[in-house]
Amino acid sequence: QVADEVASLHEKIAVVEKNFVLDTDDRAKYGVDKAPALVVLGDGADTRIRFYGANTGYEFVSLVEAVLLAGTGNLELEPETVTSLAAVDTPMHIQVFSTPT
């Protein structure tokens, strides 16, 4: 429901619902191993951004920022941060967990 509300804000934002049990090809393609899940794509390309669970509260801000990033490619990072990230040469799997308060 939250994703649908975000999608209603602009014609370039779309929500495509998939069935976790039946759509195994998409689940494997995007590495989704939990439900509910939201995969953020930018022009059809995988951004590797995933949200699991309900995107409410503070997580809603993260969802909006992810959609903006996917649509614009604008990272809005400090130059030092970009330099530090460019030096990373090993694949990383970063997960951020939050709980409603």
Side-chain angles (χ1 to χ4, degrees), residues 64-79:
V64 171
E65 289 179 350
V67 170
L68 288 171
L69 174 63
T72 65
N74 186 3
L75 294 174
E76 296 186 20
L77 297 174
E78 296 293 327

Side-chain angles (χ1 to χ4, degrees), residues 52-99:
Y52 294 100
N55 298 102
T56 58
Y58 293 115
E59 292 81 20
F60 178 74
V61 174
S62 298
L63 172 61
V64 171
E65 289 179 350
V67 170
L68 288 171
L69 174 63
T72 65
N74 186 3
L75 294 174
E76 296 186 20
L77 297 174
E78 296 293 327
E80 297 83 17
T81 303
V82 174
T83 301
S84 295
L85 290 172
V88 176
D89 59 359
T90 305
M92 303 187 102
H93 181 84
I94 300 172
Q95 297 183 5
V96 177
F97 297 89
S98 63
T99 60

Side-chain angles (χ1 to χ4, degrees), residues 6-68:
V6 171
S8 72
L9 299 173
H10 198 280
E11 71 271 359
K12 290 188 177 184
I13 303 172
V15 174
V16 178
E17 292 186 32
K18 300 289 183 168
N19 184 300
F20 184 78
V21 175
L22 301 177
D23 295 318
T24 56
D25 289 343
D26 285 327
R27 208 173 73 212
K29 178 179 178 180
Y30 297 115
V32 172
D33 60 353
K34 297 175 257 323
L38 195 142
V39 176
V40 180
L41 304 176
D43 288 329
D46 191 357
T47 64
R48 300 187 321 231
I49 299 173
R50 308 288 184 269
F51 290 94
Y52 294 100
N55 298 102
T56 58
Y58 293 115
E59 292 81 20
F60 178 74
V61 174
S62 298
L63 172 61
V64 171
E65 289 179 350
V67 170
L68 288 171

